[in-house]
Each structure stands twice: as C-alpha cells, then as structure tokens.
Amino acid sequence: NAGVTQTPKFRVLKTGQSMTLLCAQDMNHEYMYWYRQDPGMGLRLIHYSVGEGTTAKGEVPDGYNVSRLKKQNFLLGLESAAPSQTSVYFCASSYWGGEVGAFFGQGTRLTVV
Amino acid sequence: DAKTTQPTSMDCAEGRAANLPCNHSTISGNEYVYWYRQIHSQGPQYIIHGLKNNETNEMASLIITEDRKSSTLILPHATLRDTAVYYCIVRVLADKLIFGTGTRLQVFP
C-alpha cells in the first residue's frame, strides 16, 4: 500500500516547454486534487476531480490542464511552462465523504527557467 | 466555503499543551471543521475533524464552541516534532478542500 505517489519528484523546465505530472493512488479514492505551494505560502487548489472522467477548476487553474482517465491516476499538464509556475506541486486523494481526511503525496519540486 | 482566521504564528514549550485557535464565524450548519498540518516541506497531514461535538484521537483534541463560530486544536504534550504549519479548514463533506495560510507553530525546548 503505497498511498499517494507523485512522479517526478524534481524537474527543471525551460520556458515554453511542456510536461505532465503524474499522481497515482492505490486506496480506491474517488476524489483527487492538485495543489501548488509557493515559498512561504499556503496550498492553492489548481484542479480537482470527484471521480473517473470528471475534472473541475480550483482556485488557480490557468495555465494547467488535468485528466482523470483512470480512477487511480490524476495527471496535471503544463502546455507551455512559465517561470511563474515554479512551485512545489502536491497531489492528494480522499474518499468522497472526507470522513478520514485527505492523503497527500510527497510533492514535486518544479523549476521553470 | 466559510472563511477561517488563524494567528500567523505561535510558540509553545516542549511538553506543554499547544492550543491553536481558529475563527470561522460564517460557518454553515453542514460544514465540518478540519485540521491539517504541514511539517517542513512535506505534504500536509490530516489531524482531526468535527461537526458539533468535541473530538479526540491519538494526535489531538478538537474543541468546537457551542455556536460553532470558533474552534481550538489542542496538542496535549507538544514535542519538537510538532513544529509545523497548522491549517484550519471548514467544508461540507464531499466538497473540495481549500487551504488558508495557517498558523506556524514553533515548539521550543
């Protein structure tokens, strides 16, 4: 039981490049989330999903796209990376009811130069 | 989602109880109070949640006022490893999880 696994852990991108961050959970959770955390700041919700095949915008969705083709995976894409997207990205998952709280991954540190 | 207000930072002596307050004066009847913490640069960790009644688990206790407009997270015997940012969140079940800025708790020897 690995919980929530994020791939990769670190990445450096050049401005304009694209990439996909992968989040995988093995707890059969319905809900999955992508957050970003800038230095000294709290977490801000980018996109989330309430089930396979569904996605919704969070607080700061611009510049990102997501897909949830399989229940266990939630992908975050950056089509054209910008320096403002330099951040630590966290993925989380939870049961729909939230009774036991959400589980978070270890984070992906992304630097756009 | 209801807004929460937390102090920016707090200190606590090791071995003493840490009492972290949270104000959520606009909370609605079906919104729960959740607490998470984030140690250093790790992913946040769920601590506890409640609706009306006080709750206790192996990590902490949650005290919710009768009018539900505020709550307090209590770490009964703080250790250095409890140094972290603590987030108070209000949400309905099955809603998205929105974080605020949290309280930075520093436990000192």
Side-chain angles (χ1 to χ4, degrees), chain B residues 1-26:
Chain B
D1 293 336
K3 298 289 186 183
T4 61
T5 304
Q6 299 178 251
T8 303
S9 63
M10 296 181 64
D11 291 337
C12 178
E14 189 176 21
R16 304 297 295 268
N19 297 282
L20 291 88
C22 180
N23 188 298
H24 33 79
S25 58
T26 60

Side-chain angles (χ1 to χ4, degrees), chain A residues 33-112:
Chain A
Y33 310 83
W34 274 109
Y35 295 89
R36 62 176 288 174
Q37 186 172 35
D38 300 325
M41 305 283 287
L43 284 82
R44 292 185 292 170
L45 182 64
I46 305 172
H47 287 281
Y48 65 105
S49 168
V50 301
E52 181 178 321
T54 70
T55 62
K57 294 180 180 180
E59 302 171 279
V60 288
D62 294 342
Y64 305 94
N65 57 75
V66 288
S67 64
R68 182 97 180 270
L69 298 179
K70 293 183 179 180
K71 187 176 185 179
Q72 64 268 32
N73 296 335
F74 195 28
L75 279 64
L76 178 71
L78 287 74
E79 289 188 350
S80 180
S84 60
Q85 294 178 304
T86 294
S87 190
V88 179
Y89 291 84
F90 289 101
C91 175
S93 70
S94 70
Y95 291 110
W96 73 270
E99 286 87 354
V100 293
F103 291 80
F104 281 78
Q106 76 280 23
T108 296
R109 188 172 297 275
L110 175 66
T111 302
V112 182

Side-chain angles (χ1 to χ4, degrees), chain A residues 31 33 35 37 41-43 45 48 57 59 90 94 96-102 104-106 109, chain B residues 34 36 38 40-46 49 87 91-101 104:
Chain A
Y31 278 43
Y33 310 83
Y35 295 89
Q37 186 172 35
M41 305 283 287
L43 284 82
L45 182 64
Y48 65 105
K57 294 180 180 180
E59 302 171 279
F90 289 101
S94 70
W96 73 270
E99 286 87 354
V100 293
F104 281 78
Q106 76 280 23
R109 188 172 297 275
Chain B
Y34 284 77
Y36 285 78
Q38 186 175 26
H40 197 43
S41 300
Q42 299 175 20
Q45 176 190 25
Y46 164 81
H49 77 284
Y87 296 97
R91 67 190 277 258
V92 298
L93 288 183
D95 196 7
K96 55 187 180 293
L97 194 59
I98 300 292
F99 285 77
T101 54
R104 184 171 299 276

Side-chain angles (χ1 to χ4, degrees), chain B:
Chain B
D1 293 336
K3 298 289 186 183
T4 61
T5 304
Q6 299 178 251
T8 303
S9 63
M10 296 181 64
D11 291 337
C12 178
E14 189 176 21
R16 304 297 295 268
N19 297 282
L20 291 88
C22 180
N23 188 298
H24 33 79
S25 58
T26 60
I27 192 171
S28 56
N30 60 345
E31 286 184 310
Y32 285 69
V33 180
Y34 284 77
W35 283 85
Y36 285 78
R37 72 180 182 183
Q38 186 175 26
I39 297 173
H40 197 43
S41 300
Q42 299 175 20
Q45 176 190 25
Y46 164 81
I47 301 173
I48 199 168
H49 77 284
L51 181 63
K52 296 180 182 178
N53 300 322
N54 298 336
E55 303 287 344
T56 296
N57 62 21
E58 65 279 2
M59 291 183 67
S61 294
L62 173 61
I63 308 298
I64 302 174
T65 58
E66 193 169 341
D67 63 7
R68 303 208 324 122
K69 293 185 177 182
S70 65
S71 61
T72 301
L73 179 74
I74 300 173
L75 308 178
H77 305 286
T79 70
L80 299 179
R81 287 175 294 180
D82 291 321
T83 291
V85 177
Y86 288 78
Y87 296 97
C88 171
I89 300 166
V90 293
R91 67 190 277 258
V92 298
L93 288 183
D95 196 7
K96 55 187 180 293
L97 194 59
I98 300 292
F99 285 77
T101 54
T103 296
R104 184 171 299 276
L105 175 68
Q106 180 68 53
V107 180
F108 57 91

